[in-house]
Amino acid sequence: MGPHPAVAAIRLAVRRVLHDVLTDLTDLPRTTSAGACAPRAAGALAAPAGWDRQPLVLVACSGGADSMALASALAFEAPKLGIRAGGITVDHGLQAGSDLRAAEVVSRMTALRLDPVESVAVRVGRGGGPEAAARDARYGALDEAADRLGAAAVLLGHTRDDQAETVLLGLARGSGIRSLSGMAEVSGGPGRSHRYRRPFLQVDRQTARKACMVQSLPVWDDPHNIDPAYTRSRLRHEGLPALEKALGKGVVEALARTAQLSRDDADALDSWAAEAETGVRDADGRLECAKLYALPPAVRRRVLRRAVVAAGSPAGSLFARHIEEVDRLITGWRGQGAINLPGRVEAQRQGGRLVIRQG
């Protein structure tokens, strides 16, 4: 008799991602201890310099049902593919006894035979609000641990329900199609573009919880997840249920599908903008307003955003309203003055050219 359907579903999702990790690794050259590129036998796993063992994949585990289900599936699937499986839990220090709970999560991951397993304490700042600050601190800790341990990937337990919530939050901000694209299955910062993997974006939250229950895995329900002080919590417990009551079941699945369709469209428009940018600059590299005006609005705004970020404006602080103001220098020119943007960047129209620079 096979595993429970919920367990089978989470294992299949993780198995697919691990195969993707191995495929990506085979595209990397293996280097010897002397630093020279070593020949690779057909079908052999390639790894970055310094890896003299099997590749390591980590799971970011909070102790909640989603991440515990993910940890159990990783522990089951990784050895069969010749992958080492480890785990990291981040202690945000935001609740009394958080260090003890982190220690419990370490014990649970160890019981699953994950190795290495670590608890990392972080200091959460205040920038961008409590949720954003906690997220920044968490990813900073995960990046540091992955770099130090030489991990090929870090698995995150975001589910289809989380994706639906992210889409609605993006819709509420009115930030455009990129916000509606939700979380990517694969993401990461510069030099780490494939670090983070989200195997459960097509798995609902209830399936993950059921998998924990049938495997007798203890889980911890974070009280912040039901605290109405947090926007995502209100959306989860009030907003989505209200939508399902008004529109019927299937809202979560529809929102997750919207995320994928929006991501495909946003990626295509970003590629178009990257190609169009070279054609709207003069011989000195300055943006020509007439050529910008001729572009479709969605492409033009992306070109402008790329230019503003390149000038030094932090991408995370740049909102749709900022780009709309810059766009009016092209489409609604009435002799207006310079536009001040995050990062002390200034956009100004001068003699048919758009000048974007730090002040």
Side-chain angles (χ1 to χ4, degrees):
M1 183 177 178
H4 186 279
V7 176
I10 65 169
R11 288 178 178 176
L12 176 60
V14 169
R15 189 184 317 139
R16 287 172 173 166
V17 166
L18 294 181
H19 276 293
D20 290 342
V21 171
L22 292 179
T23 298
D24 289 346
L25 285 177
T26 57
D27 293 333
L28 296 173
R30 181 189 293 275
T31 56
T32 65
S33 57
C37 289
R40 186 170 75 236
L45 177 68
W51 283 11
D52 55 0
R53 295 183 292 171
Q54 297 169 312
L56 171 66
V57 172
L58 300 172
V59 57
C61 185
S62 67
D66 303 340
S67 60
M68 281 301 299
L70 182 57
S72 70
L74 176 63
F76 182 83
E77 295 292 341
K80 297 192 293 183
L81 296 173
I83 294 174
R84 291 184 297 137
I88 301 291
T89 188
V90 178
D91 174 13
H92 296 85
L94 297 176
Q95 302 170 32
S98 63
D99 55 335
L100 298 178
R101 281 188 288 276
E104 289 177 5
V105 175
V106 166
S107 297
R108 292 171 187 175
M109 289 192 290
T110 301
L112 291 171
R113 298 188 178 180
L114 297 178
D115 181 38
V117 170
E118 293 186 1
S119 170
V120 181
V122 297
R123 182 184 297 275
V124 177
R126 297 182 179 180
E131 293 167 283
R135 182 176 62 249
D136 290 344
R138 179 166 59 255
Y139 278 102
L142 293 174
D143 275 335
E144 186 280 328
D147 287 339
R148 175 167 43 82
L149 296 172
V154 179
L155 306 190
L156 305 174
H158 298 121
T159 64
R160 187 170 62 190
D161 300 76
D162 295 309
Q163 184 74 300
E165 294 161 8
T166 302
V167 171
L168 285 175
L169 289 170
L171 182 63
R173 288 193 298 268
S175 301
I177 195 171
R178 179 56 73 183
S179 285
L180 297 185
S181 66
M183 295 175 284
E185 292 184 354
V186 181
S187 65
R192 307 164 175 147
S193 60
H194 289 69
R195 166 165 289 172
Y196 294 106
R197 315 273 178 148
R198 297 176 175 86
F200 288 175
L201 287 185
Q202 301 302 320
V203 177
D204 61 46
R205 188 174 289 142
Q206 191 57 40
T207 296
R209 185 168 289 275
K210 184 69 173 179
C212 290
M213 185 182 73
V214 299
Q215 294 178 100
S216 299
L217 293 174
V219 299
W220 174 64
D221 291 315
D222 187 345
H224 281 171
N225 289 336
I226 58 173
D227 187 344
Y230 294 93
T231 304
R232 187 176 286 269
S233 175
R234 295 195 302 273
L235 180 60
R236 180 175 302 177
H237 298 288
E238 300 173 25
L240 269 173
L243 280 176
E244 291 199 329
K245 183 178 180 180
L247 302 176
K249 296 293 184 181
V251 170
V252 168
E253 292 87 342
L255 288 169
R257 188 163 59 252
T258 296
Q260 185 57 60
L261 294 171
S262 298
R263 181 168 297 279
D264 291 343
D265 291 348
D267 288 345
L269 287 168
D270 286 347
S271 296
W272 187 355
E275 293 175 3
E277 184 173 357
T278 58
V280 297
R281 291 185 181 275
D282 62 17
D284 297 323
R286 296 175 299 177
L287 291 167
E288 298 187 67
C289 295
K291 292 181 178 179
L292 283 167
Y293 185 85
L295 292 174
V299 178
R300 181 176 61 246
R301 286 192 290 268
R302 280 168 166 77
V303 171
L304 294 176
R305 189 179 192 282
R306 286 169 58 89
V308 171
V309 171
S313 191
S317 302
L318 200 58
F319 301 122
R321 59 183 173 83
H322 295 127
I323 302 305
E324 287 169 3
E325 291 179 17
V326 178
D327 195 39
R328 277 194 286 273
L329 295 176
I330 307 300
T331 62
W333 174 241
R334 298 291 185 273
Q336 60 264 46
I339 304 297
N340 294 318
L341 301 162
R344 297 185 299 106
V345 172
E346 181 181 89
Q348 187 174 18
R349 181 162 173 159
Q350 296 179 349
R353 302 291 188 271
L354 185 66
V355 179
I356 302 176
R357 61 192 174 196
Q358 278 191 321

